[in-house]
Amino acid sequence: MHRIIAISCLIVYLFTTTELHQLLKLPVLLHHYQEHKQIDSDITFWQFMSMHYSQPDDHDADHDQDMKLPFKTDDGCMSFITAIYVAPVVASIPEETIKAIYFSEKKEHFHKQECLQSSFLASIWQPPRSC
C-alpha cells in the first residue's frame, strides 16, 4: 500500500512540477503524423520529427496544430521543493543522536572600495571608439 502511495505521489509531483505532462500530448503527435502520412505517403516518422522539431518554425497552414504537439510550447512550469518532517511513530530517537547546532556570531565584512563605481565597468556600454 505504501509503495502505491509513494509511486502515485511521485507521478503527481513529476507531472505538476516538470514538463513531463507534455507526454500526455503523444496521441496528438501520432494523429498529426497520420495526417502528414495521408498527404505524403513516403514520409517517415523520423522525417516528420525532423520537420517539426529540428527545423525553424515556419508559419504554414497547420501552424496552430503544430504548436499543440508535445514539447513545442513552454507551459511555464515552476518547481517548488517543500520539505516535510514526519515524526517516527514506531520508535523515538535517542537523545544521543540529536546534536545541537550552534551558530557563531555573524560578521559582516564591508569594504569601502566595494561601493566605488569603476569607470572601467561603466565604459563597457559605450560605443566602440575605433572602427
Side-chain angles (χ1 to χ4, degrees), residues 35-78:
E35 290 175 350
H36 278 268
K37 191 80 170 162
Q38 288 174 356
I39 296 169
D40 181 14
S41 61
D42 294 333
I43 192 171
T44 64
F45 184 72
W46 296 115
Q47 290 171 336
F48 168 78
M49 293 297 282
S50 174
M51 181 187 341
H52 286 86
Y53 288 99
S54 69
Q55 296 175 359
D57 284 335
D58 53 343
H59 295 280
D60 54 355
D62 66 343
H63 178 72
D64 292 337
Q65 198 167 10
D66 290 346
M67 289 295 115
K68 293 178 184 176
L69 296 176
F71 303 106
K72 287 294 276 189
T73 58
D74 180 20
D75 290 339
C77 252
M78 296 179 67

Side-chain angles (χ1 to χ4, degrees), residues 87-99:
V89 178
V90 180
S92 62
I93 301 173
E95 284 188 32
E96 302 89 43
T97 59
I98 301 174
K99 296 179 182 178

